[in-house]
Structure formats: C-alpha cells, structure tokens
Amino acid sequence: DVKVTQSSRYLVKRTGEKVFLECVQDMDHENMFWYRQDPGLGLRLIYFSYDVKMKEKGDIPEGYSVSREKKERFSLILESASTNQTSMYLCASSLPQYSNQPQHFGDGTRLSIL
Amino acid sequence: ILNVEQSPQSLHVQEGDSTNFTCSFPSSNFYALHWYRWETAKSPEALFVMTLNGDEKKKGRISATLNTKEGYSYLYIKGSQPEDSATYLCAFPPSGYALNFGKGTSLLVTP
C-alpha cells in the first residue's frame, strides 16, 4: 500500500513565522500535491509537482511556496504565516498517468496560526 | 476554475437504508471522474476512478455510475452501515495533473 506521511498532525505557530510542512511518500510517485481544506470550501489545490525540482501553482498559491529536491519529499512553506492560513493541510501523491490514477493522501496537518 | 457540484451537502439516514448522492461536472474535455471517501480523523481514500461513459463500478455495498455526455455521476450505498459515515468527495482533472474537488456530501448513518 502507498504510504504518504505528513510530518505533524497538529501544529501551532505564530503570525510572521516561517512554517515548513513536510510530506514523504514511499511509492516512487512522480506527482505530489498540497491542498488545504476549509469548512464549506472543499479541498483547494495550493501547489503541485510532477517531477523533482518542478512545481506548478494551483488555485490558491499566494503566501505559499514549495520545494521538491527529492522525488519522495514535497515541502510546503508558509513564508510569513498569517491567521488566514489556519487550516487543515493535506498532501497527496499519484502516478504520472493523471487522468485515471487515484491520488493517495496523507493524514493531514491541522495548522493553527496565532 | 471549472466547478464540481455535489448534492446533497449532507445526509442523515438510518442503518439499513440505501442512499445515493450526485456529482455534476463539466462534460466538455472529459478525462476521468474520481470518488473518494473521507472518514473523520483519517485520510481521504480513493473509491473509484471512472473514465468511460456508462461505466458502473462496485466496491462491496458501494457503487457508482457515470454519464459523461450530461456531466454527472451517482454514488449509491446499499444497506447503509454506521461505518459508512464519512464525507464523500468527487473530483475531476480539468486540464492536467491536479484534481478539482467538489465540497463533498457528508453522510451520517445512525443505528
């Protein structure tokens, strides 16, 4: 089974801090994704990566950046955390045939910015 | 953003009831339609990936149908059980790698 591991289940940070959320997958998937989930809004794509060092903006990239130095690891960075970035963050990975391969998700990180 | 619409937003049924929900998506440039189940405190789990018009897939008591011409998919649960309580998400890839998700249908099954 695919395992997608997010570094923290819960995280509390302060406004203005630089925050790193880490995600590791063990199935050699090319594609990796970062989403955020907010009540009433559904899962929204922040960034994705289809290869090492490649990244593409999703629907809501403002205030975030990403890093993919190794195939198995995809990091989400909040450059200067703000309270409106309090959310549930989900990482996912998939095989490269995007149109008919499911995404595999981590357990999520519930991030609170105070 | 090409939207996926799911209805109803929430559903409460009794154990043993059968139920169904709907996912509507843009029918042009169709690639695939995904269904996921997301239980509380767990990660979303893929149920089905459907690609062909008229396709019907089944996993235990859960099945799904697909109509790509009119842009909708139905998810059916036969004889709902409390362990079926979850949020059911549908999603499609509008133009490439990533998925656009609907807001989900939250199902509660009570004994």
Side-chain angles (χ1 to χ4, degrees), chain B residues 50-68:
Chain B
M50 308 178 79
T51 57
L52 298 175
N53 184 44
D55 210 1
E56 181 169 347
K57 295 206 171 185
K58 191 173 180 181
K59 186 175 183 176
R61 294 178 290 97
I62 304 176
S63 61
T65 61
L66 179 67
N67 184 322
T68 61

Side-chain angles (χ1 to χ4, degrees), chain A residues 40 45 90 98-99 101-103 106, chain B residues 32 34 36 38 43 46 96 98 103:
Chain A
L45 181 68
L90 282 163
Y98 62 88
S99 63
Q101 295 298 316
Q103 292 187 6
Chain B
H34 295 225
Y36 293 83
W38 192 2
S43 55
K103 294 180 183 179

Side-chain angles (χ1 to χ4, degrees), chain A residues 66-91:
Chain A
V66 289
S67 172
R68 189 143 181 228
E69 296 297 317
K70 293 185 178 181
K71 192 174 185 179
E72 67 270 19
R73 186 180 296 270
F74 192 36
S75 303
L76 179 70
I77 304 156
L78 285 65
E79 297 291 344
S80 177
S82 63
T83 55
N84 63 11
Q85 292 177 310
T86 291
S87 187
M88 166 72 89
Y89 290 87
L90 282 163
C91 174

Side-chain angles (χ1 to χ4, degrees), chain B residues 17-32:
Chain B
D17 289 349
S18 293
T19 187
N20 65 86
F21 3 106
T22 305
C23 172
S24 301
F25 53 89
S27 55
S28 58
N29 297 320
F30 176 81
Y31 293 106

